[in-house]
Amino acid sequence: MKKLISGTTAYSVFSNDLKGGTLSHAYMLDFADPENLRGVLQLFALEFFGMDGSGADGKRLLNGSFPDCRIYPDEGKKIAADGIAEILDESAMKPVERDKKLFVIAGFEQASQLLQNKLLKTLEEPNAGVYFLLGVTSTAPVLDTVKSRVKKLTIPPFSEEQIFSALQRAGENPLNADAAKSCGGILGTAQNMVRGGWFKEVVAAAREICSATELKDIGPLAIKHGETKYKTELLTQMSVIFHSALVNRLNGSEDEISRLWATPALIYAEECLAKANADVKFNAFFQGLLYDFMLRLTEENNKWLKLRQ
């Protein structure tokens, strides 16, 4: 994780602010990866104090026993009124071991507007030596008045190559490549895919759907896969398969999927899947969505195949 994060612009800006003596009193780190947000905030906190995670003080920071760095809330929970009250009390006290202290809040976007408002004055005018690092997976729920009082740092989705390399460093796995393609640039999603046996099932289901060119297969397949818990992941994997087939077709190297579909049908598949992914977010009936997609794609393919004859 350190290798991945240290190469980001957000980390460089934060590090340069420290080295240049231009540190802002409050930062908001926007990182759309709830699985890894807390760990990334800890990396920023280590950088803030010039610590190494393997050193004695670094280990204390990571396990929550370093007094000048307080990380809220407890892991697996969301920030609540008692946490904000504690932050307000603690921020009025001088650092214990260093000349500055840092308050880190993970998942700040989950705080109610009331709690965000309680923190406003302290964010705007903290006591000398007091700094804040707010971590969010989305800035949308954060009050504009809070946003105006912090310096925003954003870590955008990573590239497929970056995700794949990070997964490989953690351990080689035959699923790493597919997970890197299907995770949307979110490392935590890719990690869950690799760890969970369900991803093998998603890949198999996607290939089965993408291989279906007969009208008689559409209904049974829509029923078979219409109840999956991994709707977005299934559609994403289907998109990956069709995109790969299209690239292979254009490069003159056919694969088992590209041989089944006409080139316009492969292009149409990607367009339809983009719409399907949007519809899923609005709780569309997934079985019907799959059926409609396969029907339209098969009809499109048959149309082009007839033109070839």
Side-chain angles (χ1 to χ4, degrees):
M1 177 62 78
K2 175 66 182 291
K3 182 177 178 63
L4 198 60
I5 297 302
S6 61
T8 64
T9 300
Y11 191 86
S12 296
V13 168
F14 187 71
S15 181
N16 289 335
D17 284 356
L18 281 162
K19 294 172 184 175
T22 57
L23 199 64
S24 295
H25 60 273
Y27 290 84
M28 178 177 291
L29 179 65
D30 182 10
F31 183 51
D33 185 350
E35 297 286 336
N36 291 300
L37 177 62
R38 191 180 185 90
V40 169
L41 290 170
Q42 289 176 327
L43 290 176
F44 275 75
L46 289 169
E47 177 70 7
F48 179 84
F49 288 104
M51 296 177 179
D52 188 314
S54 60
D57 282 343
K59 289 179 179 178
R60 290 169 62 207
L61 186 152
L62 294 175
N63 67 27
S65 61
F66 181 67
D68 292 331
C69 182
R70 304 297 301 273
I71 301 178
Y72 296 86
D74 291 338
E75 196 159 3
K77 297 183 179 180
K78 68 178 183 178
I79 190 69
D82 57 347
I84 295 296
E86 187 174 302
I87 290 170
L88 294 176
D89 289 341
E90 291 283 340
S91 65
M93 301 178 185
K94 293 182 178 180
V96 177
E97 297 184 14
R98 300 291 178 96
D99 60 353
K100 57 186 178 183
K101 62 197 304 185
L102 178 67
F103 293 91
V104 180
I105 306 178
F108 183 76
E109 77 279 5
Q110 299 180 54
S112 68
Q113 292 188 5
L114 176 63
L115 293 182
Q116 292 186 43
N117 273 317
K118 284 187 176 182
L119 203 57
L120 276 181
K121 185 176 180 181
T122 303
L123 283 175
E124 186 172 20
E125 297 178 353
N127 288 337
V130 173
Y131 297 86
F132 290 88
L133 177 58
L134 313 178
V136 300
T137 58
S138 169
T139 60
V142 180
L143 295 174
D144 288 340
T145 46
V146 171
K147 294 175 186 175
S148 67
R149 288 163 171 78
V150 300
K151 182 171 182 176
K152 186 181 174 185
L153 303 171
T154 301
I155 299 179
F158 298 108
S159 69
E160 179 184 327
E161 292 74 20
Q162 288 175 309
I163 296 288
F164 178 70
S165 296
L167 294 175
Q168 288 289 93
R169 287 194 294 271
E172 294 187 8
N173 188 308
L175 293 175
N176 284 351
D178 278 332
K181 289 178 182 177
S182 306
C183 68
I186 307 301
L187 179 61
T189 301
Q191 291 169 326
N192 283 334
M193 287 176 169
V194 171
R195 285 194 294 260
W198 59 267
F199 187 52
K200 289 182 180 180
E201 297 176 8
V202 168
V203 172
R207 294 201 70 83
E208 186 176 19
I209 293 170
C210 293
S211 301
T213 60
E214 299 290 332
L215 289 172
K216 63 181 177 60
D217 296 327
I218 293 174
L221 284 175
I223 293 171
K224 179 179 180 181
H225 300 298
E227 298 300 323
T228 180
K229 294 189 295 183
Y230 307 106
K231 299 175 178 63
T232 299
E233 292 82 358
L234 176 57
L235 293 175
T236 300
Q237 188 60 28
M238 288 163 59
S239 181
V240 167
I241 291 170
F242 279 122
H243 179 74
S244 178
L246 178 60
V247 170
N248 287 337
R249 167 68 55 72
L250 296 176
N251 289 338
S253 56
E254 298 278 21
D255 60 26
E256 59 183 279
I257 300 297
S258 64
R259 282 191 287 268
L260 295 172
W261 304 95
T263 300
L266 290 172
I267 297 172
Y268 185 64
E270 292 204 70
E271 294 174 356
C272 290
L273 283 168
K275 182 179 183 303
N277 262 308
D279 289 343
V280 163
K281 294 177 182 178
F282 291 98
N283 298 315
F285 177 49
F286 194 63
Q287 182 176 310
L289 185 149
L290 278 181
Y291 182 89
D292 183 62
F293 166 76
M294 286 187 284
L295 178 62
R296 286 188 289 140
L297 183 61
T298 301
E299 289 176 342
E300 181 76 5
N301 196 50
N302 289 340
K303 179 182 73 176
W304 287 102
L305 291 178
K306 286 179 182 178
L307 289 174
R308 287 182 182 174
Q309 297 173 357

